Amino acid sequence: MTDEHTPVTEADLHAFVDGRLDDDRRRRVELFLKDHPQEAAEVQQWQAQAKDLKAAFSSYARFGENDRTLLNSKTQPATLASFRRGAGLLAASLLLFLSGAAAGIYADRFYAGSPPVETASALESLPGQSKTAFLVYASEKRHPVEVGADEEAHLVAWLGKRLDYKLVAPDLRSQGFSLVGGRLVPVNGRAGAMLMYQDAAGQRLTVLLGKNPENGETSFRFESSGSVETFYWIDGEIGYAVTGEVTRAKLQAIAEECYRQFES
Amino acid sequence: MPHAPDEGSRVRGASPPNAETFENQVLSLVPSLRRYSRSLAKSDSDGEDLLQDCVEKVLVRRGQWRGINLRAWAFTIMTNLYRDRHRRLIQHPSVELDDTLGLTAEDVSGDPLEKTRLQQALNALTPDYRAVLMLVVVEGYAYQDVADMLSIPIGTVMSRLSRARRQMAAHLAEDNIVTLRRPK
């Protein structure tokens, strides 16, 4: 009879996450979750998801400068009265439109202050660009780098200048890799840097640095493609990616070493 | 001498005699419509397109509005537009690069790669699942309201919500993250 004997359903779990249960039922679900770690973990995921989704879109709930122009429908309402009103609005819209036209279309104006649209794809492609650089240059016998390790000071000064960043070439000897050199490469359509390392067996790996369109700090990500592993992360203005044909554990240790040595 | 307001005199920002005109009501809904459109769309510009189409349709169909809950009515229209667009895209899949665009806006705090991942997980959902998830989670509608808005049984709302949540979780759980360590 009591609430305690009514089984907790999946619908209850969703309603719990969405704050749609009355107090009794909510307590019942809380008790249930204490004894059911699997469901509790799932509910926790859903709660985290909900929080992230709200955070991701809440800032869009705002007026744009030119929202009134949204009312300037191109199509005409059916009735005569609304037709006349529509015509009036159309005239108004024309004025508004003319005043706005010089600055470009509506959407462009609205987002004029926002970061460039390629942001996510640029972030997305960092590991891809790193992998390509690795595949192209690590296998190169005669000219894997533009400036060799024998000119390290010049190399870091030159690439650092192009990146507008105080570049250091990480010392990876503790990991068994020594610097081969580096080159200027395009990253996200801008000047970026690639450093190359090699171990005693001639196994190579590359470290790619590119300007990051969006300031931020991320965790490490990794991406595998066949036997090629890439670790990448963003720290402040720079995106980093380390690519090599070594085990993931080994590459992670190297990436962590790079992370420690690079200035943020 | 009171007379019906001349439609022509309302042109151009001059304060309308009745602040609650249909247009003004629609206008007041724009922020929440913008949020919903962006949460359905793959990019900022897609979101703005969807918003624009929705407002246009709401104005054209004003005669069909029953006079209650304009927001829910507009959300229904937007959901349908979104599904139609998606269907068209599947039939004419020319717009393949539309995976771009992060969740930028003003939310500069979080981890940018994490935001990209969230967007990818969303893009992997079917439109039906995505719409239910957004109406419940982001727009805060009760399950029954969502059922009414989409003309589906509440059981269907629950199963779509459940699948959307599980698919998102599976997508986001992909184990490719390592926490950074830099002793300072």
Side-chain angles (χ1 to χ4, degrees):
Chain A
M1 275 303 283
T2 66
D3 197 32
E4 271 157 54
H5 298 292
T6 9
V8 169
T9 64
E10 191 185 316
D12 284 331
L13 298 182
H14 288 291
F16 178 77
V17 171
D18 297 319
R20 299 262 163 213
L21 293 179
D22 61 33
D23 289 351
D24 285 349
R25 199 68 190 149
R26 200 184 64 242
R27 273 192 289 275
R28 171 77 187 101
V29 171
E30 277 164 0
L31 283 175
F32 170 87
L33 291 176
K34 276 191 186 142
D35 297 336
H36 295 80
Q38 207 178 326
E39 281 84 354
E42 197 159 43
V43 160
Q44 229 166 35
Q45 277 180 334
W46 296 347
Q47 284 168 328
Q49 244 179 56
K51 193 170 147 263
D52 289 349
L53 287 174
K54 281 179 201 158
F57 297 112
S58 63
S59 64
Y60 286 90
R62 62 181 184 222
F63 284 109
E65 234 178 283
N66 298 325
D67 279 355
R68 200 158 270 282
T69 61
L70 283 170
L71 299 177
N72 305 327
S73 170
K74 287 170 293 212
T75 41
Q76 309 208 329
T79 67
L80 183 59
S82 54
F83 172 76
R84 287 175 57 204
R85 176 182 299 175
L89 281 167
L90 210 58
S93 80
L94 198 61
L95 285 168
L96 283 171
F97 176 73
L98 288 175
S99 61
I105 60 163
Y106 166 77
D108 280 353
R109 283 198 57 167
F110 182 73
Y111 286 103
S114 298
V117 294
E118 58 275 14
T119 300
S121 57
L123 292 176
E124 204 40 42
S125 58
L126 185 62
Q129 294 176 79
S130 181
K131 197 190 82 181
T132 306
F134 171 81
L135 291 174
V136 170
Y137 296 118
S139 61
E140 175 68 32
K141 293 231 164 36
R142 295 188 58 186
H143 305 290
V145 295
E146 282 176 278
V147 177
D150 52 334
E151 292 179 85
E152 183 176 337
H154 165 62
L155 173 71
V156 297
W158 167 56
L159 292 176
K161 195 168 179 212
R162 296 304 307 267
L163 267 167
D164 191 20
Y165 162 76
K166 192 168 164 289
L167 178 69
V168 288
D171 183 344
L172 300 178
R173 279 175 296 186
S174 63
Q175 302 293 329
F177 282 84
S178 53
L179 185 68
V180 176
R183 59 168 66 238
L184 188 68
V185 290
V187 179
N188 299 338
R190 299 168 66 176
M194 188 205 77
L195 301 172
M196 186 181 293
Y197 293 83
Q198 182 170 304
D199 70 4
Q203 179 70 253
R204 286 172 173 170
L205 59 87
T206 55
V207 179
L208 193 77
L209 294 88
K211 276 279 186 197
N212 170 36
E214 191 183 350
N215 257 312
E217 187 165 342
T218 69
S219 299
F220 279 135
R221 302 293 152 123
F222 56 83
E223 210 171 274
S224 309
S225 168
S227 54
V228 178
E229 300 278 354
T230 298
F231 269 83
Y232 59 106
W233 70 96
I234 289 170
D235 193 6
E237 297 179 286
I238 307 284
Y240 303 83
V242 181
T243 299
E245 225 171 340
V246 296
T247 65
R248 183 174 296 163
K250 177 77 183 160
L251 196 68
Q252 183 181 338
I254 292 165
E256 281 177 346
E257 192 57 44
C258 291
Y259 178 67
R260 261 195 293 279
Q261 294 187 35
F262 280 129
E263 293 234 354
S264 57
Chain B
M1 269 188 306
H3 58 85
D6 176 4
E7 308 292 347
S9 73
R10 298 246 295 274
V11 167
R12 242 265 61 212
S15 59
N18 170 11
E20 275 306 297
T21 59
F22 187 79
E23 281 85 357
N24 279 329
Q25 288 184 61
V26 172
L27 199 57
S28 71
L29 289 176
V30 165
S32 63
L33 288 171
R34 172 170 283 124
R35 178 178 56 201
Y36 183 49
S37 69
R38 180 61 188 84
S39 73
L40 294 177
K42 288 187 174 176
S43 68
D44 284 355
S45 59
D46 272 4
E48 282 297 310
D49 280 355
L50 184 57
L51 171 67
Q52 224 160 349
D53 286 1
C54 174
V55 170
E56 189 175 316
K57 199 146 222 171
V58 165
L59 293 174
V60 170
R61 291 207 186 151
R62 70 174 71 183
Q64 294 169 28
W65 181 47
R66 294 203 202 124
I68 36 165
N69 207 341
L70 184 61
R71 181 173 182 248
W73 185 64
F75 272 45
T76 304
I77 288 177
M78 188 178 292
T79 310
N80 290 333
L81 281 169
Y82 162 63
R83 276 141 95 202
D84 291 348
R85 277 169 167 238
H86 200 268
R87 213 167 294 140
R88 271 204 310 276
L89 275 181
I90 285 173
Q91 280 159 9
H92 308 282
S94 54
V95 209
E96 217 182 77
L97 335 154
D98 213 11
D99 220 0
T100 58
L101 238 312
L103 306 172
T104 50
E106 287 144 9
D107 177 23
V108 287
S109 52
D111 179 330
L113 294 172
E114 202 52 50
K115 285 188 245 170
T116 310
R117 249 157 60 90
L118 185 70
Q119 183 74 57
Q120 285 171 337
L122 281 173
N123 290 348
L125 295 177
T126 66
D128 285 340
Y129 293 180
R130 185 170 182 164
V132 166
L133 185 67
M134 294 308 176
L135 289 171
V136 168
V137 172
V138 179
E139 303 303 328
Y141 277 106
Y143 306 140
Q144 187 59 54
D145 291 337
V146 176
D148 294 343
M149 286 158 76
L150 305 184
S151 306
I152 53 176
I154 193 164
T156 308
V157 172
M158 297 316 290
S159 68
R160 286 182 188 175
L161 180 63
S162 167
R163 285 188 190 151
R165 282 189 159 141
R166 292 220 160 91
Q167 283 180 18
M168 288 282 293
H171 206 108
L172 291 170
E174 277 169 22
D175 179 27
N176 70 341
I177 302 172
V178 181
T179 309
L180 294 174
R181 278 172 297 193
R182 173 155 51 196
K184 296 260 172 179

